[in-house]
Amino acid sequence: MYWGQGTEGESLYLLIPAAGSGRRMGSDRNKLLLPLLGKPLIAWTLLAAKQSRQIDWIGIVGQPIDWQDFKSVVSDLNLVDSVQFIQGGSTRQESVYQGLQSLPTAAERVLIHDGARCLATPELLDRCSEALRDCPGLIAGIPVKDTIKVVNSSNSVIESTPDRSQLWAAQTPQGFEVAKLLECHQEGIRQGWQVTDDAALFEQCCLPVKVVQGEETNLKVTTPVDLAIAEFILRQRFGAI
Ligand code: CTP
Ligand code: MG
């Protein structure tokens, strides 16, 4: 659980945005607390972080209504000493910004990984952590399999078909130099940019973001069908639990 197994002396910090409400899941509580193969969904995300060799500080960005439940998950995983709780905002963008402001001052680089991507493996977290030593910004991503259409929202007519060979689906983890990402968030607030991931802020500020090979199974649990698929994948991965 130490950056470079202690040789580099630099800790890697992980922020987990977990302050959403799971509206598209249609549940009456944060989807991250829904049961998935016997554990709350966020427990699987935290388990991967715990098993990563590189991460030794975890900030969970959440809403006060979920503190009690999050704390019992953290305690069941024996992660109490590695985890801090940070109050989230009303959008993911705000939650990450609040997370960044709550990082220890020693934090030079940060990985951000959505609580809802509970199938990311420790190997993916480690691959991103390693790559983050050599670049200011990165994301995990995979080439898209579908042909993507740009559709006019008022008349539902296709406007264009971007060349698929250049299209990647963005995932998390996303990793950045903390000072640069903070500046990008602040510029985003000044300019009124509304984005759905942190790489988009980096891009808007003309900073390079590298893509690291993600995982096809690293889906973001968003709707009930995702929960069923996630359960299937976990059963395949760990045998019938
Ligand atoms: N998130 C957050 N703060 C918010 C909104 C979202 O930290 N104000 C987090 C979610 O908890 C999730 C991740 O960002 O781990 C990705 O968001 P998403 O999948 O959209 O989750 P929700 O916003 O909870 O779901 P929905 O959009 O369906 O309401
Ligand atoms: Mg959302």
Side-chain angles (χ1 to χ4, degrees):
M1 291 263 286
Y2 290 98
W3 174 263
Q5 293 169 322
T7 51
E8 288 280 314
E10 188 184 351
S11 297
L12 191 68
Y13 297 77
L14 174 69
L15 283 175
I16 301 184
S21 59
R23 192 180 34 82
R24 286 169 288 177
M25 186 59 74
S27 150
D28 58 357
R29 66 198 307 216
N30 188 344
K31 65 185 177 186
L32 301 186
L33 291 166
L34 294 178
L36 173 59
L37 222 56
K39 301 186 211 299
L41 192 151
I42 195 171
W44 294 101
T45 315
L46 286 166
L47 195 57
K50 181 179 175 176
Q51 289 168 349
S52 153
R53 288 177 296 110
Q54 312 259 353
I55 293 158
D56 57 9
W57 186 99
I58 300 170
I60 299 180
V61 189
Q63 302 291 356
I65 192 173
D66 295 327
W67 287 151
Q68 271 317 107
D69 293 308
F70 284 168
K71 280 183 181 160
S72 69
V73 174
V74 165
S75 136
D76 288 349
L77 290 169
N78 288 320
L79 276 172
V80 173
D81 292 339
S82 326
V83 170
Q84 299 292 318
F85 294 93
I86 301 156
Q87 160 100 54
S90 60
T91 62
R92 183 189 181 281
Q93 192 173 342
E94 274 180 37
S95 294
V96 173
Y97 185 49
Q98 283 168 214
L100 292 172
Q101 290 172 298
S102 305
L103 286 172
T105 45
E108 288 179 12
R109 295 180 175 81
V110 65
L111 271 193
I112 298 162
H113 182 58
D114 286 345
R117 289 194 188 266
C118 56
L119 300 180
T121 64
E123 292 73 28
L124 177 60
L125 290 165
D126 283 339
R127 191 154 71 240
C128 292
S129 307
E130 286 286 345
L132 189 56
R133 293 174 189 222
D134 300 322
C135 63
L138 62 78
I139 70 167
I142 53 168
V144 301
K145 291 186 288 187
D146 294 319
T147 296
I148 305 291
K149 305 289 185 186
V150 177
V151 179
N152 183 309
S153 56
S154 48
N155 62 8
S156 301
V157 171
I158 293 171
E159 289 181 345
S160 64
T161 305
D163 173 12
R164 192 175 61 192
S165 67
Q166 286 199 303
L167 296 178
W168 289 65
Q171 302 184 338
T172 68
Q174 303 200 348
F176 304 92
E177 285 180 17
V178 174
K180 287 199 170 77
L181 186 59
L182 260 170
E183 278 174 32
C184 295
H185 270 265
Q186 282 152 2
E187 185 63 11
I189 292 167
R190 281 191 292 273
Q191 305 285 346
W193 296 333
Q194 288 180 358
V195 295
T196 51
D197 74 352
D198 296 282
L201 294 172
F202 236 59
E203 294 159 46
Q204 292 270 49
C205 291
C206 300
L207 292 168
V209 183
K210 186 179 167 172
V211 178
V212 171
Q213 189 69 39
E215 293 172 333
E216 201 172 342
T217 50
N218 179 21
L219 57 91
K220 182 162 71 70
V221 175
T222 307
T223 58
V225 74
D226 296 324
L227 207 52
I229 295 168
E231 178 168 335
F232 178 80
I233 293 168
L234 286 172
R235 278 190 196 279
Q236 295 285 310
R237 197 177 282 173
F238 297 115
I241 303 176

